[in-house]
Amino acid sequence: MTKNAIDIKGLTKIYKGQGGSEDKLALKGIDLEIPRGSMFGLLGPNGAGKSTTINILAGLVNKTDGTASIWGFDIDQNPRNARANIGIVPQELMFDAFFTPREMLEVQAGLYGVPKSERRTDELLKAVHLHDKADAYSRSLSGGMKRRLLVAKALVHNPPVLVLDEPTAGVDIELRQQLWDYVRELHARGTTVVLTTHYLEEAEELCDTIAIINHGEVVCCEPTGQLLKRIDEKEIVITVSDSLDAIPAPLARFKSSLRDSHHIGVQISQADANVGEVLAAVQAAGLTITDIATDETDLEDIFLQLTSSRDKVA
């Protein structure tokens, strides 16, 4: 039995052009290993290939080449078992306007062959804070409620792998926190969670491993802590009482910029730079320092650097 929840090797997807348009290479032979029990972040700009990858795993899109397996089951050789081991929460809010949440979960459980005696409809509705809406028509639910209902729908067959594709899009802060509390609880019970999100702070806080995909290629896949160390820089922000219109000459040898007339930003290597040298240069310029702050590298900085550098190469 494989140690990975999801194994992807050489996954390629080409969308055939129509009406004389060119073919589109959406996935360029990507490789991904998502360990069992992990909280895995799959990040990338719009059109990078995230949703195509997820839709292939869900059986909604046919791959062009490569292999993919879920919980040890190849999606081509054992499609029924592969899909039984994964729950997908899609980006789109797709509902039958005349079904109630209770009816939707019951129908979904029936589609997966879950016996009535083993169904957890009420339990799931309570878990996503929708028990009081169990018998309301889905058209009356707010966007946040519909998003949480999709999570419950993905869990009716108790899959060991849960994929959340932009799950908090359009959800307010309070409901987002409730959703993440429940996802953390699922993860603590052993569920492998795969998350795509545009909220990079969510990925930084929640995920133990992050892969970044851009133009159909995986540009990095590392433990979150290791990824955050990839850019060994931080910025010192120096506030001076003097009004400036240019960077003083003693600071020219550093990677410095003028944020405004009273704030100088200096990029330094966390490993090599001597903060004392920077401060000495400020004093040598005859400036009076009133405050010093540091701006540490975060996931957004890394994300932008990796994707923008790949864009330049492309």
Side-chain angles (χ1 to χ4, degrees), residues 138-308:
S138 63
R139 67 176 183 271
S140 69
L141 303 180
S142 68
M145 291 176 182
K146 290 177 179 178
R147 186 72 63 187
R148 285 179 284 151
L149 182 54
L150 285 177
V151 175
K153 189 177 176 183
L155 294 170
V156 295
H157 56 300
N158 200 28
V161 183
L162 178 65
V163 178
L164 301 156
D165 192 6
E166 299 289 348
T168 56
V171 177
D172 65 41
I173 294 174
E174 182 180 357
L175 295 181
R176 186 187 304 172
Q177 192 58 54
Q178 290 177 357
L179 178 60
W180 288 136
D181 287 344
Y182 183 54
V183 169
R184 286 189 182 97
E185 185 180 328
L186 288 171
H187 181 247
R189 293 185 207 160
T191 301
T192 302
V193 178
V194 181
L195 165 69
T196 78
T197 179
H198 278 95
Y199 299 106
L200 298 182
E201 69 276 9
E202 287 185 345
E204 187 173 345
E205 179 184 348
L206 294 165
C207 299
D208 50 59
T209 306
I210 291 175
I212 296 177
I213 186 170
N214 195 33
H215 295 304
E217 298 179 281
V218 176
V219 296
C220 76
C221 181
E222 297 176 7
T224 304
Q226 182 177 323
L227 180 60
L228 291 171
K229 293 178 182 177
R230 280 178 66 110
I231 299 179
D232 186 31
E233 281 191 351
K234 64 180 176 181
E235 185 176 36
I236 301 175
V237 181
I238 302 168
T239 305
V240 296
S241 60
D242 314 76
S243 182
L244 304 174
D245 55 15
I247 293 295
L251 284 165
R253 65 188 181 96
F254 300 103
K255 192 192 297 185
S256 54
S257 61
L258 198 62
R259 288 191 164 193
D260 57 46
S261 59
H262 292 279
H263 294 86
I264 304 168
V266 183
Q267 297 283 343
I268 64 171
S269 165
Q270 298 186 50
D272 304 323
N274 186 335
V275 178
E277 293 179 8
V278 175
L279 298 181
V282 174
Q283 291 178 328
L287 302 175
T288 302
I289 299 173
T290 59
D291 191 26
I292 300 173
T294 58
D295 189 1
E296 303 285 346
T297 297
D298 61 13
L299 181 57
E300 184 172 6
D301 298 322
I302 299 171
F303 177 86
L304 291 173
Q305 183 172 98
L306 289 172
T307 54
S308 64

Side-chain angles (χ1 to χ4, degrees), residues 102 121-123 125-135:
R102 189 190 304 280
T121 299
D122 287 336
E123 175 190 335
L125 289 172
K126 287 178 182 177
V128 296
H129 302 278
L130 287 176
H131 195 258
D132 60 333
K133 300 288 185 180
D135 299 310

